[in-house]
Amino acid sequence: MLTLIKHAECYAPKKLGNKDVLIAGTKVIAIDDNISLDCSINHEVIDGNDFILTPGFVDSLVHISGGGGEAGFASRTPEMQLTDATQFGITTVVGALGTDNISRTHTDLIAKAKGLKQEGLNVFCHTGSYHLPATTLGHSISHDIMYIDEFIGLGEVAIADHRGRQISLKQLATAAAEARTAGLLSGKRGTVSVHVGSGLTKLELLHQVADTTDIPLNQFYPTHMNRNADLLTSGIEFCQAGGTIDFTTSTTEYDLANGELAAAEALAYCLEKGVSSDLLTMSSDGHASLPIYNVDNELVGFDVGDESSLLASFKQAVTQFNVSIEHALQAITSNPARILGLRKGQLLVDHDADLVLMHKKTLAVHSVWCNGKKMIEDGDILVNGFFN
């Protein structure tokens, strides 16, 4: 099957202008001003005049197998389903464990990743969890990254959070060095995803590792950096020192009312402060437990992360905070892909046909292709997961 999308306003995520895009099999095989097909081969032609065409979204932190519940066993969150991603333009997810690495295991994580891949999604994972020394699937961080295709890095390791193991500089440096070396040996990035809590130490531990060892600051990928204004300020300093930061799009009304910034607002603020758009990303933290704590770290509420928030935050950045479509797209396509070492997140010839067709006026998702297979059409689900 050939699919020709004509006259769509294309973003790579850099704006390309009105182009025709030809998909064959799993790949984009041509992008040009005018492509015509005069053949007997079965093909579909889509009028893209009222649409923008973008790379599929890369969600760099999703708890695909469910998260541990800080309100006890009954609050363990459910696992993600295929259409939790595809309905909202997400074609690539990166799964991880969080607080709970006891009742939530890497065998479950990898099994879920393989299941979602079987259903048509692009899925990668991190070994480890909040805690160090790291719990792994095999006998080490190196083993998991080198020999298991889905594992691309380590995380999400918790710092500045009362739920973490209060890890030392030496523990973090050792784990980061192992992930980095395993990545070099296996052609992966070996990124260390870092959960940053609301503790007063903020990103100090990451700076200490970079300052006292040979591990570069950009080996770390700190998330939840929109948790409060002070943390965001430290994130800007982190970027100025050579790092990258991620904003979480899932949130609660309580947290927003008590100092958290919406991811779209944090993105706009950093751009206004002169931070390069290459250094900023957004992720959903989908299906994570979102415990609500008061100033004494007492649990006062509970919610669950939602993958749909990634699309909502992209729209909010563009329509409410005047972020350009290019910069907002970078944050959910090419930037996380580059940071994680994935050949995803770009609309280019000979790249995977992971594409999103959106209405120009509303930015609502019309169609989604994952590896050339149409998953969503006119907002309707074409491909369901096994249990959808």
Side-chain angles (χ1 to χ4, degrees), residues 2-3 10 33 73 84 90 146 181-182 192 206 247 317 339 345 364 370:
L2 299 174
T3 301
C10 293
D33 291 337
F73 288 106
D84 292 329
I90 299 167
M146 287 188 66
T181 302
V192 181
L206 305 187
F247 307 124
I339 293 163
C370 193

Side-chain angles (χ1 to χ4, degrees), residues 298-329:
E298 297 170 333
L299 188 69
V300 295
F302 194 85
D303 211 332
V304 179
D306 192 336
E307 290 80 8
S308 68
S309 63
L310 194 66
L311 174 63
S313 293
F314 163 74
K315 291 180 182 179
Q316 186 181 31
V318 173
T319 61
Q320 185 175 335
F321 292 102
N322 299 314
V323 176
S324 70
I325 289 178
E326 286 186 17
H327 288 162
L329 274 177

Side-chain angles (χ1 to χ4, degrees), residues 202-203 207 217 222 225-226 228-247 261 265-276 279-280:
K202 303 181 183 67
L203 300 178
H207 286 286
L217 207 60
M225 296 302 297
N226 51 317
N228 56 59
D230 287 344
L231 185 57
L232 183 58
T233 298
S234 71
I236 292 173
E237 295 169 355
F238 189 78
C239 291
Q240 292 169 340
T244 58
I245 58 176
D246 182 68
F247 307 124
L261 288 81
E265 181 180 6
L267 176 66
Y269 180 80
C270 287
L271 291 171
E272 289 170 5
K273 292 297 181 181
V275 178
S276 169
L279 305 179
L280 306 169

Side-chain angles (χ1 to χ4, degrees), residues 33 45 68 92 168 182 189 192 194 213-214 249 263 284 297 307 311 355 357-358 362 375:
D33 291 337
V45 179
T92 300
S168 67
R189 180 74 172 77
V192 181
V194 180
T213 74
D214 295 322
T249 58
S284 74
N297 285 329
E307 290 80 8
L311 174 63
L355 305 172
L357 194 66
M358 289 186 281
T362 64
M375 314 293 277

Side-chain angles (χ1 to χ4, degrees), residues 351-372:
H351 273 232
D352 294 336
D354 299 331
L355 305 172
V356 182
L357 194 66
M358 289 186 281
H359 293 273
K360 280 184 181 179
K361 291 183 178 179
T362 64
L363 300 179
V365 169
H366 180 278
S367 297
V368 177
W369 292 262
C370 193
N371 292 305

